[in-house]
Amino acid sequence: MGHVQHDPDGDKRAISVEQTLQSHHKVMHEKSHGHSHGGAESFGAPLPLDPHVIDLESCPEGSQGVHPADGTPKHCRPWSCSKDLKRQYQLQQRARYEVHTFNDTRWDQLLDAFRLMYKQPDDVLIDNSTNLFDHAGRPSTAAFTDLHSRSHMHHGSDTFFPFHRRMMLDVETQLQMLSGDCTLTLPYWNWAEETYQFDSSVMWTPERLGSLKPGCVEDGVANDWKYIRGHDTEKTCLVRGTTKKDAEWSPSAYNGYLPSWSHLQTMLSEMGYGELRKNSENWHNAFHCMVHGDMCSLLAPRDPVFYFHHSMIDRYWYYWQQRHPEEQAGCGNCSAGLHSFGGVVAEEYVGTIQKNENSPTGECVPQPASDPSVCLTYVPETFHVAAAEKVATVSHRGAHVGPDGKITSDFDPVKEAQKNVFIACAPMSGTERELLSIFLK
């Protein structure tokens, strides 16, 4: 039985924990898909919270609520009050959806949060803290780029997956703080569903991530984003593609380069962790350098494409964990510490998928493993891009995708990137060249 509370107007409302959780899941799904009675126009504002419920000093028996989006260990967690008037916190449910299932209103809210993240002060750097929100200020895209570039040792390493999972959770926390919306999650872009239409995806439109044309990004969410490069004193533009006259770069040349989703699913079901990690980094690196520009380096978090790409990387690791229940809690050298996160061991961001009735999918993986505050899940894809599963063999410029999903090619975007190290709007600094060489090794 829910506790009867009084609002400022004297109305009585009985609210239960179950109702709050169901309401959050309903709002999250409707915001993402436009399934509410009013369609896409019926939402946009954060889920309202009773000001009395979120009063951190009061806890009348039977009351419940949701902790505000503040970056603390209680961030966005549902709570209820026990008989001893102490709050009992449940895990925050984070369900990530595929980008193509978002409606325009939800996209606008997400991209507005990204713009706010970009605009945060550049001097708020992420220190070696287990909770990056312990210090004053809110990290910007520049701060997350700094963290990523300082953590290069997690590329080409067994800690590749857990490091990026932790990083994406922190980015997601930041987006929720900036939007004030605990239901806002970082969607994943299943580029494997669009491997044959990579260059023509709706993701490259002005309403989404902006075009793939070479040079400065001049439309989309990152329109006119600028960063300091190396020891320069003035900012220069975010870059995609290449403007070097002698460089061969054409997004359409990469159509069919990456494995299709059906092939990827087959391979994920058959691979052990070590093989999964090595192959995943190959696909991961190839995508980065298919976009080229800033994305083709450890400075990639400057570009918002990075976050949707890495949500996908984590999505198919989650898929692998689902299909390897006896191996899912392992990641090779899981005892290694995660640089820039206070040395917390990697296994904290591996975990075991568990049944959870509060999750939209009925299951989720608690994070961090030993003292979880969130439970992460991925809602499976509900669409198939037209012609994405044409034929198993596609040839272009020597590239060949075989029936097993493996790629052979005389043209390799990663090798091409190594030959054409560049920054279109300013010379690449020595540090940036070093980071690129580490990323592409």
Side-chain angles (χ1 to χ4, degrees), residues 22-42:
Q22 291 170 2
S23 175
H24 269 68
H25 296 154
K26 182 173 183 290
V27 169
M28 177 168 61
H29 184 78
E30 291 177 350
K31 282 186 175 184
S32 300
H33 301 77
H35 290 170
S36 57
H37 295 298
E41 299 302 321
S42 64

PDB file of all heavy atoms in Angstrom, residues 22-42:
ATOM      1  N   GLN A  22       7.059   1.675 -13.179  1.00  0.00           N
ATOM      2  CA  GLN A  22       6.295   1.464 -14.403  1.00  0.00           C
ATOM      3  C   GLN A  22       6.151   2.755 -15.179  1.00  0.00           C
ATOM      4  O   GLN A  22       6.242   2.786 -16.406  1.00  0.00           O
ATOM      5  CB  GLN A  22       4.924   0.884 -14.059  1.00  0.00           C
ATOM      6  CG  GLN A  22       4.976  -0.547 -13.526  1.00  0.00           C
ATOM      7  CD  GLN A  22       3.642  -1.014 -12.981  1.00  0.00           C
ATOM      8  OE1 GLN A  22       2.652  -0.280 -13.040  1.00  0.00           O
ATOM      9  NE2 GLN A  22       3.613  -2.222 -12.443  1.00  0.00           N
ATOM     10  N   SER A  23       5.955   3.858 -14.456  1.00  0.00           N
ATOM     11  CA  SER A  23       5.822   5.153 -15.118  1.00  0.00           C
ATOM     12  C   SER A  23       7.110   5.548 -15.823  1.00  0.00           C
ATOM     13  O   SER A  23       7.096   6.024 -16.957  1.00  0.00           O
ATOM     14  CB  SER A  23       5.448   6.228 -14.085  1.00  0.00           C
ATOM     15  OG  SER A  23       5.418   7.511 -14.676  1.00  0.00           O
ATOM     16  N   HIS A  24       8.243   5.327 -15.150  1.00  0.00           N
ATOM     17  CA  HIS A  24       9.529   5.660 -15.754  1.00  0.00           C
ATOM     18  C   HIS A  24       9.771   4.846 -17.008  1.00  0.00           C
ATOM     19  O   HIS A  24      10.206   5.361 -18.030  1.00  0.00           O
ATOM     20  CB  HIS A  24      10.671   5.415 -14.755  1.00  0.00           C
ATOM     21  CG  HIS A  24      11.000   6.621 -13.940  1.00  0.00           C
ATOM     22  ND1 HIS A  24      10.131   7.120 -13.002  1.00  0.00           N
ATOM     23  CD2 HIS A  24      12.084   7.439 -13.941  1.00  0.00           C
ATOM     24  CE1 HIS A  24      10.675   8.192 -12.450  1.00  0.00           C
ATOM     25  NE2 HIS A  24      11.861   8.400 -12.989  1.00  0.00           N
ATOM     26  N   HIS A  25       9.475   3.544 -16.959  1.00  0.00           N
ATOM     27  CA  HIS A  25       9.699   2.698 -18.124  1.00  0.00           C
ATOM     28  C   HIS A  25       8.770   3.080 -19.258  1.00  0.00           C
ATOM     29  O   HIS A  25       9.158   3.089 -20.425  1.00  0.00           O
ATOM     30  CB  HIS A  25       9.496   1.229 -17.760  1.00  0.00           C
ATOM     31  CG  HIS A  25      10.495   0.743 -16.760  1.00  0.00           C
ATOM     32  ND1 HIS A  25      10.252  -0.302 -15.904  1.00  0.00           N
ATOM     33  CD2 HIS A  25      11.749   1.181 -16.459  1.00  0.00           C
ATOM     34  CE1 HIS A  25      11.303  -0.499 -15.130  1.00  0.00           C
ATOM     35  NE2 HIS A  25      12.217   0.389 -15.451  1.00  0.00           N
ATOM     36  N   LYS A  26       7.530   3.428 -18.932  1.00  0.00           N
ATOM     37  CA  LYS A  26       6.568   3.831 -19.953  1.00  0.00           C
ATOM     38  C   LYS A  26       7.004   5.134 -20.616  1.00  0.00           C
ATOM     39  O   LYS A  26       7.003   5.273 -21.840  1.00  0.00           O
ATOM     40  CB  LYS A  26       5.187   4.010 -19.322  1.00  0.00           C
ATOM     41  CG  LYS A  26       4.069   4.383 -20.320  1.00  0.00           C
ATOM     42  CD  LYS A  26       2.727   4.356 -19.611  1.00  0.00           C
ATOM     43  CE  LYS A  26       1.600   4.647 -20.592  1.00  0.00           C
ATOM     44  NZ  LYS A  26       1.607   6.046 -21.061  1.00  0.00           N
ATOM     45  N   VAL A  27       7.422   6.100 -19.797  1.00  0.00           N
ATOM     46  CA  VAL A  27       7.879   7.380 -20.340  1.00  0.00           C
ATOM     47  C   VAL A  27       9.123   7.192 -21.196  1.00  0.00           C
ATOM     48  O   VAL A  27       9.243   7.749 -22.283  1.00  0.00           O
ATOM     49  CB  VAL A  27       8.169   8.391 -19.202  1.00  0.00           C
ATOM     50  CG1 VAL A  27       8.881   9.609 -19.753  1.00  0.00           C
ATOM     51  CG2 VAL A  27       6.869   8.806 -18.535  1.00  0.00           C
ATOM     52  N   MET A  28      10.071   6.374 -20.719  1.00  0.00           N
ATOM     53  CA  MET A  28      11.302   6.138 -21.467  1.00  0.00           C
ATOM     54  C   MET A  28      10.987   5.542 -22.829  1.00  0.00           C
ATOM     55  O   MET A  28      11.527   5.969 -23.848  1.00  0.00           O
ATOM     56  CB  MET A  28      12.219   5.197 -20.680  1.00  0.00           C
ATOM     57  CG  MET A  28      13.507   4.834 -21.405  1.00  0.00           C
ATOM     58  SD  MET A  28      14.687   4.021 -20.318  1.00  0.00           S
ATOM     59  CE  MET A  28      13.745   2.570 -19.845  1.00  0.00           C
ATOM     60  N   HIS A  29      10.078   4.551 -22.864  1.00  0.00           N
ATOM     61  CA  HIS A  29       9.740   3.905 -24.131  1.00  0.00           C
ATOM     62  C   HIS A  29       8.995   4.870 -25.043  1.00  0.00           C
ATOM     63  O   HIS A  29       9.272   4.961 -26.233  1.00  0.00           O
ATOM     64  CB  HIS A  29       8.888   2.668 -23.865  1.00  0.00           C
ATOM     65  CG  HIS A  29       8.580   1.885 -25.108  1.00  0.00           C
ATOM     66  ND1 HIS A  29       9.513   1.055 -25.683  1.00  0.00           N
ATOM     67  CD2 HIS A  29       7.477   1.828 -25.880  1.00  0.00           C
ATOM     68  CE1 HIS A  29       8.986   0.507 -26.766  1.00  0.00           C
ATOM     69  NE2 HIS A  29       7.754   0.960 -26.898  1.00  0.00           N
ATOM     70  N   GLU A  30       8.047   5.636 -24.480  1.00  0.00           N
ATOM     71  CA  GLU A  30       7.260   6.553 -25.299  1.00  0.00           C
ATOM     72  C   GLU A  30       8.106   7.709 -25.804  1.00  0.00           C
ATOM     73  O   GLU A  30       7.944   8.166 -26.939  1.00  0.00           O
ATOM     74  CB  GLU A  30       6.071   7.082 -24.496  1.00  0.00           C
ATOM     75  CG  GLU A  30       5.022   5.996 -24.214  1.00  0.00           C
ATOM     76  CD  GLU A  30       3.880   6.504 -23.359  1.00  0.00           C
ATOM     77  OE1 GLU A  30       3.998   7.636 -22.822  1.00  0.00           O
ATOM     78  OE2 GLU A  30       2.872   5.786 -23.225  1.00  0.00           O
ATOM     79  N   LYS A  31       9.026   8.191 -24.989  1.00  0.00           N
ATOM     80  CA  LYS A  31       9.896   9.264 -25.434  1.00  0.00           C
ATOM     81  C   LYS A  31      10.744   8.827 -26.609  1.00  0.00           C
ATOM     82  O   LYS A  31      10.979   9.586 -27.547  1.00  0.00           O
ATOM     83  CB  LYS A  31      10.809   9.725 -24.294  1.00  0.00           C
ATOM     84  CG  LYS A  31      10.145  10.632 -23.284  1.00  0.00           C
ATOM     85  CD  LYS A  31      11.163  11.138 -22.289  1.00  0.00           C
ATOM     86  CE  LYS A  31      10.540  12.154 -21.341  1.00  0.00           C
ATOM     87  NZ  LYS A  31      11.542  12.724 -20.433  1.00  0.00           N
ATOM     88  N   SER A  32      11.196   7.582 -26.563  1.00  0.00           N
ATOM     89  CA  SER A  32      12.081   7.089 -27.608  1.00  0.00           C
ATOM     90  C   SER A  32      11.343   6.740 -28.883  1.00  0.00           C
ATOM     91  O   SER A  32      11.875   6.852 -29.978  1.00  0.00           O
ATOM     92  CB  SER A  32      12.830   5.845 -27.117  1.00  0.00           C
ATOM     93  OG  SER A  32      13.600   6.158 -25.996  1.00  0.00           O
ATOM     94  N   HIS A  33      10.076   6.298 -28.756  1.00  0.00           N
ATOM     95  CA  HIS A  33       9.394   5.740 -29.909  1.00  0.00           C
ATOM     96  C   HIS A  33       8.133   6.498 -30.329  1.00  0.00           C
ATOM     97  O   HIS A  33       7.563   6.221 -31.378  1.00  0.00           O
ATOM     98  CB  HIS A  33       9.016   4.282 -29.629  1.00  0.00           C
ATOM     99  CG  HIS A  33      10.206   3.432 -29.332  1.00  0.00           C
ATOM    100  ND1 HIS A  33      10.838   3.473 -28.108  1.00  0.00           N
ATOM    101  CD2 HIS A  33      10.890   2.548 -30.089  1.00  0.00           C
ATOM    102  CE1 HIS A  33      11.856   2.618 -28.121  1.00  0.00           C
ATOM    103  NE2 HIS A  33      11.908   2.053 -29.304  1.00  0.00           N
ATOM    104  N   GLY A  34       7.669   7.453 -29.499  1.00  0.00           N
ATOM    105  CA  GLY A  34       6.485   8.218 -29.875  1.00  0.00           C
ATOM    106  C   GLY A  34       5.213   7.407 -29.806  1.00  0.00           C
ATOM    107  O   GLY A  34       4.295   7.618 -30.594  1.00  0.00           O
ATOM    108  N   HIS A  35       5.094   6.490 -28.813  1.00  0.00           N
ATOM    109  CA  HIS A  35       3.928   5.637 -28.725  1.00  0.00           C
ATOM    110  C   HIS A  35       2.888   6.141 -27.744  1.00  0.00           C
ATOM    111  O   HIS A  35       1.952   5.428 -27.429  1.00  0.00           O
ATOM    112  CB  HIS A  35       4.355   4.226 -28.303  1.00  0.00           C
ATOM    113  CG  HIS A  35       5.115   3.519 -29.385  1.00  0.00           C
ATOM    114  ND1 HIS A  35       5.767   2.339 -29.152  1.00  0.00           N
ATOM    115  CD2 HIS A  35       5.329   3.839 -30.685  1.00  0.00           C
ATOM    116  CE1 HIS A  35       6.355   1.937 -30.269  1.00  0.00           C
ATOM    117  NE2 HIS A  35       6.109   2.841 -31.197  1.00  0.00           N
ATOM    118  N   SER A  36       3.054   7.349 -27.236  1.00  0.00           N
ATOM    119  CA  SER A  36       2.063   7.877 -26.318  1.00  0.00           C
ATOM    120  C   SER A  36       0.849   8.340 -27.115  1.00  0.00           C
ATOM    121  O   SER A  36       0.877   8.458 -28.325  1.00  0.00           O
ATOM    122  CB  SER A  36       2.646   9.039 -25.517  1.00  0.00           C
ATOM    123  OG  SER A  36       3.110  10.039 -26.378  1.00  0.00           O
ATOM    124  N   HIS A  37      -0.254   8.619 -26.424  1.00  0.00           N
ATOM    125  CA  HIS A  37      -1.485   8.971 -27.106  1.00  0.00           C
ATOM    126  C   HIS A  37      -1.326  10.190 -27.988  1.00  0.00           C
ATOM    127  O   HIS A  37      -1.962  10.304 -29.037  1.00  0.00           O
ATOM    128  CB  HIS A  37      -2.597   9.205 -26.076  1.00  0.00           C
ATOM    129  CG  HIS A  37      -2.953   7.970 -25.312  1.00  0.00           C
ATOM    130  ND1 HIS A  37      -3.455   6.853 -25.924  1.00  0.00           N
ATOM    131  CD2 HIS A  37      -2.856   7.658 -23.998  1.00  0.00           C
ATOM    132  CE1 HIS A  37      -3.689   5.900 -25.016  1.00  0.00           C
ATOM    133  NE2 HIS A  37      -3.323   6.378 -23.840  1.00  0.00           N
ATOM    134  N   GLY A  38      -0.477  11.089 -27.580  1.00  0.00           N
ATOM    135  CA  GLY A  38      -0.297  12.303 -28.359  1.00  0.00           C
ATOM    136  C   GLY A  38       0.812  12.209 -29.379  1.00  0.00           C
ATOM    137  O   GLY A  38       1.164  13.192 -30.000  1.00  0.00           O
ATOM    138  N   GLY A  39       1.423  11.022 -29.547  1.00  0.00           N
ATOM    139  CA  GLY A  39       2.518  10.875 -30.502  1.00  0.00           C
ATOM    140  C   GLY A  39       3.752  11.584 -30.027  1.00  0.00           C
ATOM    141  O   GLY A  39       3.958  11.826 -28.839  1.00  0.00           O
ATOM    142  N   ALA A  40       4.571  11.998 -30.989  1.00  0.00           N
ATOM    143  CA  ALA A  40       5.869  12.584 -30.659  1.00  0.00           C
ATOM    144  C   ALA A  40       5.747  13.907 -29.944  1.00  0.00           C
ATOM    145  O   ALA A  40       6.670  14.354 -29.294  1.00  0.00           O
ATOM    146  CB  ALA A  40       6.690  12.759 -31.934  1.00  0.00           C
ATOM    147  N   GLU A  41       4.589  14.566 -30.043  1.00  0.00           N
ATOM    148  CA  GLU A  41       4.445  15.886 -29.436  1.00  0.00           C
ATOM    149  C   GLU A  41       4.048  15.803 -27.968  1.00  0.00           C
ATOM    150  O   GLU A  41       3.964  16.813 -27.305  1.00  0.00           O
ATOM    151  CB  GLU A  41       3.380  16.687 -30.207  1.00  0.00           C
ATOM    152  CG  GLU A  41       3.734  16.908 -31.676  1.00  0.00           C
ATOM    153  CD  GLU A  41       5.054  17.636 -31.844  1.00  0.00           C
ATOM    154  OE1 GLU A  41       5.332  18.562 -31.057  1.00  0.00           O
ATOM    155  OE2 GLU A  41       5.812  17.280 -32.742  1.00  0.00           O
ATOM    156  N   SER A  42       3.757  14.607 -27.461  1.00  0.00           N
ATOM    157  CA  SER A  42       3.199  14.496 -26.120  1.00  0.00           C
ATOM    158  C   SER A  42       4.256  14.427 -25.026  1.00  0.00           C
ATOM    159  O   SER A  42       3.921  14.279 -23.869  1.00  0.00           O
ATOM    160  CB  SER A  42       2.299  13.264 -26.039  1.00  0.00           C
ATOM    161  OG  SER A  42       3.072  12.091 -26.242  1.00  0.00           O
TER     162      SER A  42
END
